[in-house]
Amino acid sequence: MPTIVMKFGGTSVADLQRIENAADKVIREIVRGNRCVVVVSAMSGVTNQLVSWVNSLTPDYDAREYDAVVATGEQVTAGLMAIALQKHGIKARSWQGWQAGVISTTAHGRARIQDIEAERLERALAKGEVPVIAGFQGVTAAGRITTLGRGGSDTSAVAFAAALNADRCDIYTDVDGVYTTDPRICKDARKISRISFEEMLEMASVGAKVLQIRSVELAMKRGIKLQVLSSLEDKIGSDLPGTLLVKEEDVLESHLISGVSCSKDEAKITLVGVRDMPGFAASMVKPLADAGINIDMIVQNVTADGNATDMTFTLSSADLHKAVKALEGVADKVMTDDKVAKVSVIGIGMKAHPEVALTAFKAMADANINIMAISTSEIKISMLVSETKADDAVRALHSAFELDKVEKTPQILKVKHKEGR
Ligand code: ASP
Ligand code: MG
């Protein structure tokens, strides 16, 4: 019997009616002969509320207690969903992260799953129960509750799919898939039917917030078939109505660009007049790394006078305050700007097409948008622009690469689904 992990995000369980709709989808999958494992988020808005309560008491909170508070959102939904299923005669049972054997690191607030001890869950499944698991939660070896970082229930779902050897992991959310860009910014955005894990990772890392990035990394590593689809539409996952994440080689006709993404939660820091000498980059990055801060685009100017140079890098604006503190003493002058955005074009097709950069830069020039920094990878070109220009930049790039016009859905080879076997 095929096993499907069905994950419902916050908007998909936002109220009792939506919880009942989600339960209905689970029942329809069961009727089709699938074994279902349900993973739920907190009802929408709940986690934000819990986080803000903690922050209102003190920004210097004990992260263990932050986790004790914010993990409760998922507990409520798991119980409600189990009841909604039981109403229809389904043998459902709620599971907290610790009950479901989600062993995590001790990095409270951003813990990582180390292992899932799935024996108890497997026994429940064997008895015909439908587990309804609180996503986002783990437990340390010492028995403290942890949470997996915002959006972490996606990662919970993929981790359970891996641990239980599931045939597919369906992530139900409030959009019907991954789009060529944010439809709120560009009305011509189109749904992508198939995207490679690699492209999706780039989309996620630069701000397409459909899936937590770690969930995509894990799915890629473990070969989990992952689908993003809408819970607000009538279709169920087995009809494959959403966006399927597949291996790169499963995309037959490679296309130049898959999408344009935009991250506005960006800030930039410039260290002015730093010594141009061996070891400086390391001395700058070390305190940031020690503080757990990721930095991204790093630009070092060529020294004009042979002594001093400027170093600019970007980071999440949420980390700006912490970063400035960590950098105390590293440079005489630190300039910050959190009114910046990172706009990126992403596509596996660009590997073989150097003209992509030209098209991108020309689109920005034609739209009269200044590029402050550029970074590239094999399948991505990112540009840092003023936040006020970010939406224009997205629209300019989307149309320059004709993402609105081209039927960009590539044909797919070898996407086998084991359902119905
Ligand atoms: N409820 C958590 C959050 O809002 C986890 C999740 O929904 O994935 O971040
Ligand atoms: Mg989410």
Side-chain angles (χ1 to χ4, degrees), residues 28-336:
R28 284 161 63 197
E29 292 286 13
I30 293 170
V31 167
R32 287 215 192 168
N34 294 307
R35 202 161 75 142
C36 296
V37 176
V38 183
V39 176
V40 290
S41 283
M43 295 162 84
S44 75
V46 168
T47 308
N48 286 345
Q49 174 69 75
L50 296 167
V51 170
S52 84
W53 280 339
V54 172
N55 277 309
S56 302
L57 276 177
T58 168
D60 273 329
Y61 50 77
D62 178 333
R64 287 164 293 195
E65 303 312 334
Y66 167 96
D67 277 350
V69 175
V70 302
T72 59
E74 274 70 12
Q75 174 162 349
V76 173
T77 326
L80 291 172
M81 178 71 82
I83 294 169
L85 287 164
Q86 288 168 355
K87 254 175 75 174
H88 296 277
I90 305 288
K91 281 202 286 178
R93 180 65 60 217
S94 70
W95 295 73
Q96 302 301 296
W98 62 269
Q99 293 168 318
V102 185
I103 310 301
S104 82
T105 62
T106 56
H108 286 275
R110 52 170 83 172
R112 283 180 170 263
I113 298 175
Q114 288 176 311
D115 188 22
I116 292 193
E117 293 170 354
E119 298 76 23
R120 289 173 66 194
L121 265 184
E122 270 159 0
R123 279 202 297 276
L125 279 165
K127 283 193 289 182
E129 282 180 17
V130 175
V132 182
I133 306 166
F136 187 45
Q137 307 180 343
V139 65
T140 66
R144 303 286 336 166
I145 289 171
T146 56
T147 62
L148 307 177
R150 298 305 305 270
S153 52
D154 295 334
T155 303
S156 307
V158 173
F160 281 110
L164 298 168
N165 230 332
D167 295 69
R168 204 179 62 239
C169 180
D170 287 342
I171 307 281
Y172 285 91
T173 177
D174 52 358
V175 292
D176 60 352
V178 179
Y179 274 66
T180 50
T181 195
D182 185 340
R184 286 167 305 184
I185 298 176
C186 181
K187 62 175 180 9
D188 299 323
R190 293 145 61 66
K191 192 184 91 187
I192 303 172
S193 305
R194 308 285 189 272
I195 187 171
S196 69
F197 286 118
E198 291 82 355
E199 288 170 315
M200 187 63 208
L201 276 177
E202 295 289 10
M203 297 278 268
S205 70
V206 288
K209 294 204 186 64
V210 191
L211 291 172
Q212 196 195 38
I213 186 162
R214 273 157 54 194
S215 69
V216 182
E217 286 167 355
L218 190 58
M220 178 160 88
K221 200 159 107 200
R222 302 293 296 266
I224 305 293
K225 292 201 176 70
L226 194 58
Q227 178 176 217
V228 178
L229 70 169
S230 169
S231 64
L232 308 175
E233 289 177 8
D234 189 47
K235 289 215 169 91
I236 57 171
S238 291
D239 297 328
L240 302 184
T243 297
L244 259 190
L245 276 61
V246 296
K247 297 200 195 103
E248 188 180 322
E249 56 268 31
D250 290 338
V251 180
L252 173 65
E253 203 177 279
S254 90
H255 42 287
L256 219 49
I257 295 299
S258 282
V260 178
S261 67
C262 174
S263 163
K264 291 179 183 162
D265 304 327
E266 299 284 325
K268 120 179 124 117
I269 292 185
T270 303
L271 305 177
V272 183
V274 298
R275 299 270 304 280
D276 190 12
M277 60 178 192
F280 180 74
S283 69
M284 172 193 89
V285 171
K286 177 149 193 321
L288 297 170
D290 289 347
I293 298 168
N294 276 322
I295 64 174
D296 180 32
M297 301 167 135
I298 305 174
V299 182
Q300 184 185 332
N301 293 345
V302 175
T303 318
D305 59 4
N307 293 315
T309 182
D310 297 345
M311 183 92 125
T312 297
F313 59 88
T314 64
L315 70 171
S316 154
S317 51
D319 287 337
L320 183 58
H321 184 72
K322 228 168 44 171
V324 171
K325 255 181 106 175
L327 288 167
E328 264 166 26
V330 172
D332 294 342
K333 191 171 167 205
V334 177
M335 288 181 348
T336 65

